Amino acid sequence: MSETHRITLIPGDGIGPEVTDAVVEILEAAGKREGASFDWHRFDAGADAFAKTGEYVPKALYESIEQNRVALKGPVTTPIGGGFSSINVTLRKKFDLYANFRPVKNLPGLETKYPGIDLIIVRENTEDLYAGLEVMVVPGVAQSLKIITEKGSTRIAKFAFEAARKYRRKKVHSVHKANIMKISDGLFLDCCRTVAKGYPEIPYAEHIVDNTCMQLVMNPWQYDVIVTENLYGDILSDLCSGLIGGLGLVPGANLGTECAIFEAVHGSAPDIAGKGLANPTALLQSAVLMLRHIDEAATADAIQMALEAVYAEGKSLTRDVGGSTGTGAFKDAVLAALEGAK
Ligand code: NAI
């Protein structure tokens, strides 16, 4: 029996608590079978936390992540055009979670227009227009600062090449807009080129972001690892999730040198929140990444196999991927597949 893992849990809002509850139940069941146990430290963040504690990110939540070094997080709503700053961006900056690792891969049995997709987006997670440095210069003229540094660009490029090496990937593309933003994106590109020289066995290429969007729709199979800045990575992640069946599927890991927060690519989906329709797959696959991060490979493998068995069978799928099953029944199908695999 391995140690009990203390994990900070942030259910988030919108569909967050629905998918989080389903995922925790699956992890508990799989852990029990494979000898992994978890001690969940649960916290609100965002508007719900503010209502209870007067803080959007409670001090105790920061302390919990500092101590546990691992968190599983549901989506948190960010007000549009005003209100408090994004909780997601705040946490990524606070813990210097500079690398956002987002694998995009088809699930067995789920028919899409694009079979055979297997790519990784590596998104810089702390800089760019997400610095939140905005000002209304004079009425009618707004300015937003895009911050790109040599340090930030070099470390994300290294992360991407190291990931390519670790997962035996065949190519790294850096995605940029250095034709227009010659200084900021130019710096990002220079850093990628310098880092690429240290990995001569991994072919390296560069694509401009607008062309990349078209290429991803016409021929996504040409990509393997994409390394890019914060904003382009955000947009390309949603595009890529569309290639394999939607936002309900794609996981993510926010990684730094000290801590890691695992969360799906998707948001709080207010259009379906509270209806029991949300697909927990993206958060479940994020939890699988988390389990590998904390060296619980057997539990990770058991969950991934059960999840893939449910998709391969195709009878208990949620509405976003063409089925009619609700969140709870989907979770039950994964639990049954886990049980059946004993
Ligand atoms: P969204 O990702 O919440 O939803 C986009 C579309 O995908 C909606 O039609 C939604 O129903 C669907 N969808 C998303 N996840 C799904 C799931 N698990 N199962 C089934 N369908 C799913 O994006 P939107 O509407 O632009 O953002 C809503 C809120 O979420 C905003 O406040 C935004 O700031 C926040 N957000 C939070 C993130 C995070 O906490 N990491 C990431 C992205 C957005």
Side-chain angles (χ1 to χ4, degrees):
M1 189 84 175
S2 69
E3 57 171 325
T4 297
H5 297 281
R6 288 195 305 267
I7 295 172
T8 304
L9 185 69
I10 310 162
D13 48 37
I15 61 169
E18 299 167 54
V19 290
T20 305
D21 286 349
V23 166
V24 166
E25 201 175 324
I26 294 167
L27 259 68
E28 286 291 335
K32 213 169 186 180
R33 206 188 81 167
E34 302 297 334
S37 60
F38 310 99
D39 177 9
W40 304 101
H41 298 185
R42 203 178 170 110
F43 290 91
D44 285 324
D48 290 352
F50 189 77
K52 286 183 197 160
T53 66
E55 293 171 303
Y56 289 105
V57 182
K59 196 163 166 266
L61 168 54
Y62 284 132
E63 287 167 359
S64 173
I65 297 176
E66 255 156 37
Q67 277 165 16
N68 297 338
R69 292 167 171 234
V70 179
L72 182 64
K73 177 185 162 297
V76 179
T77 305
T78 308
I80 292 173
F84 61 90
S85 303
S86 162
I87 303 303
N88 315 307
V89 174
T90 304
L91 289 173
R92 290 167 190 168
K93 276 202 203 150
K94 163 81 182 164
F95 294 105
D96 199 21
L97 306 173
Y98 68 92
N100 197 330
F101 177 83
R102 296 176 156 181
V104 184
K105 190 174 178 187
N106 297 91
L107 280 156
L110 187 62
E111 276 189 32
T112 66
K113 288 184 187 134
Y114 300 94
I117 301 291
D118 184 5
L119 61 87
I120 299 170
I121 294 182
V122 174
R123 166 187 173 189
E124 201 292 320
N125 225 10
T126 55
E127 302 193 333
D128 198 358
L129 285 157
Y130 288 68
L133 299 171
E134 289 192 302
V135 65
M136 192 66 75
V137 183
V138 291
V141 181
Q143 185 186 38
S144 186
L145 289 186
K146 169 168 173 145
I147 307 293
I148 299 291
T149 68
E150 184 180 353
K151 180 184 166 212
S153 304
T154 301
R155 69 179 177 172
I156 199 65
K158 275 191 184 147
F159 180 97
F161 276 94
E162 284 298 320
R165 200 173 254 175
K166 180 171 173 189
Y167 299 111
R168 299 177 185 283
R169 296 294 177 144
K170 294 193 174 63
K171 195 165 197 173
V172 173
H173 278 87
S174 77
V175 172
H176 64 92
K177 189 77 183 172
N179 51 331
I180 303 298
M181 281 158 279
K182 294 177 194 293
I183 296 179
S184 53
D185 282 26
L187 174 60
F188 175 79
L189 208 49
D190 276 350
C191 295
C192 289
R193 286 176 187 164
T194 305
V195 170
K197 288 189 187 127
Y199 298 82
E201 79 281 13
I202 303 170
Y204 167 70
E206 297 166 353
H207 279 174
I208 295 174
V209 64
D210 38 353
N211 174 35
T212 306
C213 292
M214 188 273 289
Q215 296 288 343
L216 277 166
V217 173
M218 299 292 286
N219 176 18
W221 299 278
Q222 68 188 292
Y223 294 104
D224 202 338
V225 174
I226 291 176
V227 60
T228 191
E229 294 169 17
N230 208 340
L231 179 62
Y232 309 144
D234 188 3
I235 296 166
L236 293 180
S237 300
D238 275 35
L239 192 164
C240 287
S241 58
L243 300 175
I244 63 153
L247 278 164
L249 307 177
V250 178
N254 301 290
L255 303 165
T257 51
E258 302 294 324
C259 303
I261 300 181
F262 296 83
E263 65 178 341
V265 168
H266 66 72
S268 55
D271 54 336
I272 57 165
K275 297 180 180 162
L277 297 172
N279 187 348
T281 301
L283 188 65
L284 187 58
Q285 296 208 96
S286 307
V288 167
L289 293 176
M290 180 187 80
L291 290 167
R292 297 198 192 287
H293 179 80
I294 60 173
D295 290 330
E296 290 293 356
T299 311
D301 289 344
I303 293 175
Q304 191 67 35
M305 273 175 65
L307 179 71
E308 292 186 7
V310 170
Y311 275 91
E313 194 192 32
K315 285 187 186 155
S316 307
L317 302 184
T318 48
R319 208 181 58 167
D320 55 308
V321 289
S324 56
T325 299
T327 312
F330 176 84
K331 176 253 308 169
D332 289 341
V334 176
L335 289 173
L338 261 175
E339 188 67 20
K342 256 185 189 172

